[in-house]
C-alpha cells in the first residue's frame, strides 16, 4: 500500500535539535543558513524511498534554493550530520532510525486494523446467517425516526451475491475487480448502498481514470491521480512523454528529467 500525501510530509524529530553539539558547530560556522540547509536536506531525505540521496545531485539542490554548492557540501561532509555511502549517496542515521520505529508502529496499527476488520466481517456474516435461517414470511413492523429515514430504509435492496456482481461486470465489460468490490461492501454489510449496480458503474469510472492515456506506457508502480501521472506517494509529477519507470528503486528527477536509482 502506498503512503498518503499527508504521510509524506511527516517525520519525528527533537524540538531541541539545535542544541546538539554537531548542530551547534554548524550554526557557529555557517549561521542559521547552514542550519536551514541541514533541515532542507533532512526533508529531502524523508521523501526518498530508502531515505538516502545521490551526492552528485547536491549542486542541483543548491541551485534550486539559490545557495552556493560548496555550502551544501560543507553541511553534508564537515559536521558528522550525514553518512556518506561509497561516495555515491548520503543519509542521516538519526532519520533512518526514527523512521524505522515510525514505520514499525504504522505496520502494527495496520495489522491491528486488518485483524479488527476480519473480526467485524466474520461477525457480520454470522449475524446475517442466523437472520436468514430464522426469517419467515412475517415481517416485523419498522419504526422510523422521520419520513426521510422511511424512504431510505425502504429503498435498501437485497444485497447481491458474488456471482451476480461478476455477471454484471462481465456483461458491461468493466475492469472492476469483482472480488474486491464484493468484499469491500460485504464488510460494511452493504450499509448505504441503495443501487449496487450504480456503485459498480462508479468504481469502473474511477478505475478507468487511473489508466494511462492512449499512447502512454506506465512503468513499475505508476498510476494516474486526478489527471496527473505519478507513482509512490503521488507527490511527484511525471511528464506524459517520460519513459516507463524501470523499477521500484527508480525515482524521477525533475531537474534532469530522468529516472535515477536511489
Amino acid at each position: 500500500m502506498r503512503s498518503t500525501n499527508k504521510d509524506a510530509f511527516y517525520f519525528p524529530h527533537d524540538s531541541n535539535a539545535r542544541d546538539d553539539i554537531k548542530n551547534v558547530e554548524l550554526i557557529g560556522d555557517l549561521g542559521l543558513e547552514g542550519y536551514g540547509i541541514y533541515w532542507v536536506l533532512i526533508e529531502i531525505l524523508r521523501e526518498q524511498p530508502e531515505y538516502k540521496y545521490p551526492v552528485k545531485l547536491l549542486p542541483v539542490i543548491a541551485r534550486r534554493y539559490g545557495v552556493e554548492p560548496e555550502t551544501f557540501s560543507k553541511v553534508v561532509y564537515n559536521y558528522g550530520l550525514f553518512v556518506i555511502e561509497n561516495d555515491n549517496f548520503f543519509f542521516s542515521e538519526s532519520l533512518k532510525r526514527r523512521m524505522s520505529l515510525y514505520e514499525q508502529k504504522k505496520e502494527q496499527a495496520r495489522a491491528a486494523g486488518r485483524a479488527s476488520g476480519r473480526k467485524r466481517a466474520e461477525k457480520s456474516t454470522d449475524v446475517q446467517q442466523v437472520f436468514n435461517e430464522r426469517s419467515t414470511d412475517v415481517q416485523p413492523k419498522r419504526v422510523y425516526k422521520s419520513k426521510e429515514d422511511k424512504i431510505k430504509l425502504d429503498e435498501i435492496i437485497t444485497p447481491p451475491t458474488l456471482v451476480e456482481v461478476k455477471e454484471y461486470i462481465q456483461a458491461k465489460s468493466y475492469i472492476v475487480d469483482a472480488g474486491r468490490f464484493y468484499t469491500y461492501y460485504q464488510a460494511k454489510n452493504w450499509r448505504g448502498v441503495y443501487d449496487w449496480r450504480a456503485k459498480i458503474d462508479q468504481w469502473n469510472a474511477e478505475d478507468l481514470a487511473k489508466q494511462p492515456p492512449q499512447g502512454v506506457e506506465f512503468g513499475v508502480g505508476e498510476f494516474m491521480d486526478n489527471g496527473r501521472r505519478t507513482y509512490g506517494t503521488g507527490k511527484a509529477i511525471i511528464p506524459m512523454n517520460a519513459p516507463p519507470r524501470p523499477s521500484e528503486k527508480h525515482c524521477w528527477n525533475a531537474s534532469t528529467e530522468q529516472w535515477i536509482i536511489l
Side-chain angles (χ1 to χ4, degrees):
M1 181 180 292
R2 65 178 183 273
S3 302
T4 64
N5 288 341
K6 179 180 178 182
D7 178 62
F9 289 99
Y10 175 79
F11 64 92
H13 69 280
D14 296 330
S15 62
N16 63 343
R18 63 190 178 280
D19 296 327
D20 182 272
I21 186 63
K22 297 176 183 178
N23 281 324
V24 170
E25 293 178 1
L26 169 67
I27 296 172
D29 290 346
L30 302 178
L32 289 179
E33 179 187 34
Y35 191 56
I37 291 173
Y38 166 71
W39 282 112
V40 165
L41 292 171
I42 290 294
E43 290 173 356
I44 290 174
L45 291 174
R46 168 60 181 92
E47 295 174 345
Q48 309 310 308
E50 296 180 2
Y51 310 119
K52 60 183 181 178
Y53 200 77
V55 172
K56 66 181 180 180
L57 294 181
L58 280 174
V60 177
I61 303 174
R63 287 194 297 271
R64 178 180 179 184
Y65 293 102
V67 180
E68 290 294 327
E70 181 181 354
T71 306
F72 262 79
S73 296
K74 286 181 180 179
V75 175
V76 172
Y77 284 95
N78 291 2
Y79 301 96
L81 294 165
F82 299 97
V83 177
I84 310 301
E85 183 180 87
N86 300 324
D87 293 327
N88 292 323
F89 297 93
F90 71 94
F91 62 88
S92 165
E93 286 187 338
S94 175
L95 175 65
K96 294 188 76 170
R97 182 177 63 254
R98 294 167 189 270
M99 292 311 302
S100 177
L101 294 173
Y102 173 65
E103 290 168 355
Q104 288 177 15
K105 291 181 180 179
K106 282 205 308 179
E107 181 55 36
Q108 291 172 357
R110 283 196 292 264
R114 289 193 293 267
S116 177
R118 286 193 296 269
K119 288 182 179 179
R120 288 196 300 270
E122 292 171 358
K123 182 178 180 180
S124 174
T125 301
D126 293 342
V127 171
Q128 184 65 41
Q129 183 176 355
V130 171
F131 176 79
N132 291 340
E133 291 174 351
R134 296 182 178 180
S135 291
T136 65
D137 292 336
V138 179
Q139 297 297 321
K141 182 178 180 180
R142 288 177 175 172
V143 178
Y144 306 103
K145 295 181 179 180
S146 66
K147 182 178 180 181
E148 290 75 13
D149 287 343
K150 181 180 188 303
I151 294 173
K152 289 181 179 179
L153 288 171
D154 287 345
E155 288 177 349
I156 294 177
I157 62 169
T158 302
T161 64
L162 178 58
V163 173
E164 289 175 322
V165 170
K166 288 181 177 179
E167 289 178 347
Y168 183 75
I169 291 174
Q170 291 173 356
K172 290 283 190 174
S173 298
Y174 282 167
I175 63 173
V176 176
D177 185 322
R180 184 169 65 92
F181 176 87
Y182 183 81
T183 302
Y184 179 82
Y185 286 109
Q186 182 69 11
K188 296 176 176 291
N189 203 25
W190 299 90
R191 187 178 295 108
V193 178
Y194 307 120
D195 186 343
W196 60 268
R197 294 177 181 84
K199 281 291 183 182
I200 294 179
D201 296 342
Q202 179 184 341
W203 275 47
N204 188 70
E206 293 173 352
D207 287 348
L208 286 174
K210 297 177 182 179
Q211 299 298 308
Q214 187 174 2
V216 176
E217 182 181 356
F218 278 5
V220 179
E222 291 190 78
F223 61 93
M224 293 293 293
D225 182 19
N226 293 326
R228 300 161 53 254
R229 177 181 175 183
T230 186
Y231 70 98
T233 63
K235 183 177 180 181
I237 301 177
I238 313 303
M240 291 299 179
N241 60 352
R245 187 186 186 201
S247 71
E248 288 288 351
K249 295 183 178 180
H250 280 76
C251 177
W252 180 254
N253 186 289
S255 300
T256 61
E257 295 190 341
Q258 292 179 333
W259 293 106
I260 60 173
I261 297 180
L262 297 180

